[in-house]
Amino acid sequence: MPRPRTAIGVWQRRLSLALLIALIVPIVASSSAIAQDGTGGVAVSDGFYNPPACSRAGENGLVVYQSLNSERTTPNRALIVANQSGERQRVINLDGVPVRTIPTNYPGRVIVLTSNSEGTVNRIEVVDARRGFRYPLDIPRAQIGALNFPTPATEASAGRRYLVLSDVPQRTAWLVDLSDGVATDLLAIAREREDDDTVSLVSAAVSPDDRNVLLVTDRSVLIIPTDRPAGDRLIGDPAVLSGFHFLADEGSPLVYLQPLENGNTGIVLYDTARYRPRQVAEVENLISATPLPNGDALILATPGSLDLLELRYLARSHIAQVEGDPGTVLMAPGGTRLAYEVRTPEGSEWRYVNLRTGSTSELPDLIGLRPITPVDGLRWLVFGVTAVVAQSQGGLTYYSLDLERGVTTPLLTTIDGINYLPPVVKPGEGRFALIPSIIGTRQNYEAVDNRTGRAFRLLDSRAVSATLSPDGCWAAVARVMGPRSERNFRIYLVPLDGSGEPIQGDFGIAPVWLNG
């Protein structure tokens, strides 16, 4: 199998295993996982552990929610901000009825879409919940209504200061500066470059350092500086390039794959400071390249093998033999464990690899299942047959996978007559997940502890809307009070580890929990 093109001396090849160890030890040493349960450290057990209790609610940031008018029919033209005790801290008056609130990674900031008296969504703004300031976004009214629905492109795009708002048909893409409240039309930049108004969005991602946004359209791949969007740079053709990842390394470099004339695949490292590409490896029959959490190396999947490519010295190390062709590769946050998919004629199977020892084990509980929660950066993942379960699909079991220990745990089994929607998780460990369920017209939430397998109904099956705190340890819940027909809802803050009683808040609906 070809080595990287850059020359590697004999001494580097001999030290490849040492480089692998040097790469993964700093990740583990600095991770919270090893501080809590020692996932694989010397003389520390891989066994079950008892993590600390959830942090106080107020350490997660503010909770923002809506209240209903006196007729209990529509929300008031305001947002309510609650403090760590669940008490109303301030009311932020709006110019319309809120129809959607979008939490962001920027501390205390939320994006709000409002409608006029005729029910038309006609205004969008960034709201500073800490100080009560509002920043209207200069987006044409004809496009605002289309932003009222969640899209994968928006969810995958977020940096800390910036995110990209897009619509379901992928005809709109706006870069939003959450600090200054400024919106930039990204597709206008791409369309001007192509001189074609039919250019549509494929994906967008903001770099970890917030300096650049990667814009992939059906015509081009662009890197756009967030502080000067007019300075866009062309990377290449989206029909040719693939596998884009910003690395969590100094300067947030971009890595991607490109086919070579000899049939092999080139791995390209793009310097986002100097806007220069550099091919760092050539691989035969490459299936995927997955970055390590610290961005210093890639896991290369090829038929029959998993290898590690270190990006500083370009040393390549063999990790494990693979049965068949590996599919999806899931990296543990600590960087010392991974799980990979094996595609067979009967369906998907999963294997678990300890990178320290090189040992591989099977995960028989996950045969035929796939991750149904986001996979980047989480320790615990929820697996299922499908993310949406119809009421006729009773008897399906959700499983969790602990990527740091290779342990699978059954969570809950679906019941006939109940629809189940995709689980709600937060970036971080992913210990807790909320699984919305619908019986007729009634929505409830199942909370699951991926560590223990415990599943329970939120607030006695009377939760009508819920969201997780930024650390994923609490839920902000709108609970129905009295008969559902009377539409009386109260906000509760619930510690999901059972370490305390739920905190009762004010009357309201549709809570979102902001970063602190």
Side-chain angles (χ1 to χ4, degrees):
M1 199 167 296
R3 297 276 181 179
R5 281 187 173 181
T6 302
I8 302 176
V10 174
W11 65 274
Q12 290 176 326
R13 290 193 294 270
R14 290 177 179 176
L15 290 176
S16 60
L17 181 57
L19 285 169
L20 170 60
I21 296 174
L23 277 168
I24 61 180
V25 167
I27 305 175
V28 177
S30 62
S31 70
S32 60
I34 192 169
Q36 294 177 357
D37 68 342
T39 53
V42 178
V44 182
S45 171
D46 277 351
F48 192 84
Y49 79 103
N50 291 314
C54 290
S55 301
R56 294 185 305 118
E59 295 181 14
N60 280 284
L62 299 169
V63 177
V64 175
Y65 56 95
Q66 304 166 27
S67 62
L68 292 176
N69 61 11
S70 57
E71 290 79 22
R72 324 298 299 163
T73 55
T74 58
N76 289 313
R77 296 190 171 206
L79 293 179
I80 299 173
V81 181
N83 60 21
Q84 67 186 44
S85 300
E87 299 171 346
R88 180 181 299 195
Q89 182 169 312
R90 68 169 47 89
V91 176
I92 302 174
N93 293 316
L94 304 173
D95 293 330
V97 175
V99 294
R100 185 185 177 201
T101 52
I102 306 172
T104 72
N105 291 334
Y106 196 92
R109 300 294 169 93
V110 61
I111 295 177
V112 183
L113 287 84
T114 58
S115 64
N116 58 21
S117 58
E118 298 176 353
T120 301
V121 180
N122 65 343
R123 188 178 179 88
I124 183 170
E125 54 194 344
V126 176
V127 174
D128 182 346
R130 289 175 171 176
R131 298 180 297 172
F133 296 160
R134 298 159 50 200
Y135 304 90
L137 296 177
D138 188 16
I139 297 176
R141 289 192 176 187
Q143 296 186 26
I144 293 177
L147 301 175
N148 191 28
F149 304 97
T151 67
T154 295
E155 295 170 2
S157 75
R160 185 169 178 83
R161 175 173 172 171
Y162 297 88
L163 63 75
V164 177
L165 287 177
S166 59
D167 61 347
V168 174
Q170 307 279 65
R171 298 290 299 158
T172 300
W174 289 85
L175 177 68
V176 178
D177 182 339
L178 298 166
S179 176
D180 295 339
V182 176
T184 302
D185 190 346
L186 295 179
L187 283 185
I189 296 172
R191 289 165 179 166
E192 181 179 359
R193 174 180 281 275
E194 298 294 327
D195 193 22
D196 188 343
D197 289 339
T198 66
V199 171
S200 60
L201 177 68
V202 174
S203 65
V206 177
S207 62
D209 61 6
D210 276 319
R211 291 190 305 108
N212 293 283
V213 57
L214 176 72
L215 183 71
V216 182
T217 72
D218 58 349
R219 308 295 177 83
S220 61
V221 180
L222 303 176
I223 192 86
I224 301 175
T226 52
D227 62 346
R228 43 187 176 86
D232 58 294
R233 306 294 181 97
L234 177 67
I235 292 181
D237 185 349
V240 176
L241 308 181
S242 62
F244 299 98
H245 294 281
F246 279 116
L247 301 180
D249 199 2
E250 183 178 356
S252 297
L254 177 71
V255 66
Y256 59 88
L257 310 178
Q258 67 177 12
L260 304 177
E261 292 182 356
N262 61 5
N264 294 339
T265 300
I267 299 177
V268 179
L269 194 63
Y270 190 92
D271 186 335
T272 56
R274 298 178 176 86
Y275 301 102
R276 296 176 184 172
R278 177 170 66 102
Q279 181 177 310
V280 297
E282 179 181 331
V283 184
E284 183 180 0
N285 298 321
L286 181 66
I287 298 173
S288 65
T290 304
L292 259 63
N294 66 356
D296 284 346
L298 303 173
I299 301 295
L300 307 182
T302 58
S305 181
L306 289 178
D307 296 83
L308 181 139
L309 174 65
E310 195 272 339
L311 294 174
R312 177 170 297 179
Y313 299 105
L314 303 183
R316 186 167 170 181
S317 307
H318 178 67
I319 295 175
Q321 291 296 122
V322 177
E323 301 175 10
D325 292 346
T328 302
V329 177
L330 307 173
M331 287 296 308
T336 64
R337 311 290 202 275
L338 63 83
Y340 67 88
E341 179 187 19
V342 178
R343 298 164 181 163
T344 69
E346 292 76 25
S348 295
E349 298 181 3
W350 292 86
R351 305 286 187 270
Y352 183 75
V353 180
N354 183 326
L355 298 182
R356 284 181 173 274
T357 64
S359 61
T360 301
S361 57
E362 297 183 355
L363 299 171
D365 289 336
L366 304 184
I367 293 176
L369 306 183
R370 64 183 182 88
I372 57 174
T373 52
V375 299
D376 291 338
L378 295 180
R379 170 175 177 165
W380 282 278
L381 302 177
V382 179
F383 279 71
V385 174
T386 179
V388 178
V389 178
Q391 60 183 353
S392 60
Q393 294 178 293
L396 302 179
T397 300
Y398 294 91
Y399 280 85
S400 72
L401 169 62
D402 183 345
L403 279 172
E404 297 290 2
R405 296 187 298 135
V407 174
T408 55
T409 305
L411 298 175
L412 66 85
T413 300
T414 60
I415 300 173
D416 277 329
I418 303 178
N419 297 285
Y420 297 84
L421 301 179
V424 178
V425 297
K426 282 288 185 180
E429 287 203 325
R431 175 184 167 187
F432 295 98
L434 303 179
I435 302 178
S437 60
I438 301 175
I439 305 175
T441 60
R442 294 170 50 192
Q443 179 160 312
N444 300 297
Y445 283 82
E446 305 273 358
V448 295
D449 185 339
N450 289 312
R451 180 181 67 97
T452 65
R454 175 174 174 254
F456 56 97
R457 291 279 179 92
L458 269 182
L459 297 179
D460 303 322
S461 300
R462 299 182 69 82
V464 294
S465 62
T467 188
L468 288 172
S469 61
D471 68 356
C473 203
W474 289 72
V477 184
R479 182 184 188 273
V480 63
M481 311 296 292
R484 288 182 180 248
S485 60
E486 294 183 4
R487 296 175 60 81
N488 289 313
F489 308 109
R490 185 182 288 276
I491 302 298
Y492 283 83
L493 308 183
V494 183
L496 296 176
D497 64 351
S499 59
E501 293 297 319
I503 298 173
Q504 178 178 291
D506 210 336
F507 285 96
I509 59 171
V512 295
W513 208 319
L514 307 183
N515 280 346

